Amino acid sequence: MAAIGIMTAQVRPEREIGQIHVYDGTGKGKSQAALGVVLRSLGLGMSDNSPFGTRILLLRFLKGSEREYSEDAAISALQQGFPHLIDHVRTGRAEFFDAEHVTPFDRQEAERGWAIAKGAMASGLYSVVVLDEINPVLDLGLIPADLVVKDLKNKPPHLEVICTGRGAPQALIDIADLHSEMRSHDDAHAEKYDVTGIEIYTGAGKGKSTSALGRSLKAIGTGISRDLSHRVLIMQWLKGGAGYTEDAAIAALKRGYPHVIDHQRCGRDAIVWRGQQQEIDCIEAQRGWEIAQAAIASGLYKTIILDELNPTVDLDLLPVEPICQALLKKSRDTEVIITGRCLNNPAYFDLASVHSEMVCHKHYAEKGVDLKRGVDF
């Protein structure tokens, strides 16, 4: 990897055609990535150059209302912050089941969900439709995959569709414009160090920072439903300019919850090339770490996102040991989310209770498709 820096998206041309995104795999971050895209869409507004407004449908399969799920709090935060822009429907029963225990009710609920999805796509009212857990629905045979593929091929041209869950069938992957696999790693030794609440999202695939933003929504929602004190810090390295993929999402968070979100960034507005690091890169990286270290030690934040910390360390802009020590000493009530790709895993990876690698199998940008504001940046 010759370069690890982050390019801005300010001058990129935009596409008007919506794409089909598939996030699958055994690792954590699939539904969170979808929520991150939703947040970005809300923040930017997708209506600047389009007659279609920013209205979003979150359609969740296999997630009955009798049980709480990890993203419930995040969706509550979205609905409270943007009450007229988020439509939320859930289907299915709450219990986990395999193919041998499918009931007529399961098929009925899956069919009901897909009827809702078809109606939403046909209506032209939505800019983004999230089909959460549609992948296992198809894998279980609750809906014919060929029917879903046919309907998705006929979606409105402007519509972005995000499919999540394990076990995406090949037929769906074949028509997907983006396919990112969240691959779980069991190389962490958090229990050995008696540390909890550290999650790492790495790899070359799409969804790392996006998953972290979805995670921040969960943090906000949790605070709203419980003690109202759930502050979030988003600290970004290698992103000293403007026009980055998360900017609109962070703006949406700050607009919806101005007293809960703190955002800091450091670095030059340029790619940092391996072997060509400048003194200012080290100074900026250290400045960012001083902010992050103080936040971790303070206990004031329930959730701290250290965005692009991995490549910063991988480029030798920060030493590893102080980071390990700060994480070992953090409050058990503080959750730390670390993102970014890297060639060599730093020692603090051993402290993570979650290590999810985003593996890129397919991306529409590789076919020359323009990026789209509100979805890609």
Side-chain angles (χ1 to χ4, degrees), residues 44 77 99 129 228 281 367:
L44 203 74
V129 170
L228 302 178
D281 297 323
K367 299 186 296 182

Side-chain angles (χ1 to χ4, degrees), residues 326-347:
L327 294 175
L328 284 168
K329 296 175 183 177
K330 78 173 185 64
S331 167
R332 299 184 76 87
D333 293 335
T334 300
E335 296 186 334
V336 178
I337 318 299
I338 303 173
T339 77
R341 65 176 74 184
C342 54
L343 280 176
N344 303 297
N345 293 349

Side-chain angles (χ1 to χ4, degrees), residues 65-132:
S65 58
E66 301 85 4
R67 174 182 163 191
E68 286 190 8
Y69 296 88
S70 60
E71 62 273 11
D72 287 354
I75 293 172
S76 295
L78 279 173
Q79 289 181 308
Q80 180 163 325
F82 308 93
H84 304 298
L85 298 177
I86 301 293
D87 292 331
H88 175 215
V89 179
R90 58 200 303 177
T91 69
R93 54 178 163 135
E95 301 86 5
F96 171 81
F97 59 91
D98 55 24
E100 296 181 358
H101 298 91
V102 171
T103 68
F105 175 78
D106 298 323
R107 297 187 186 279
Q108 179 182 344
E109 280 292 276
E111 291 170 0
R112 178 174 74 91
W114 190 246
I116 295 169
K118 286 182 62 177
M121 290 189 290
S123 72
L125 295 174
Y126 297 95
S127 57
V128 177
V129 170
V130 176
L131 303 175
D132 188 36

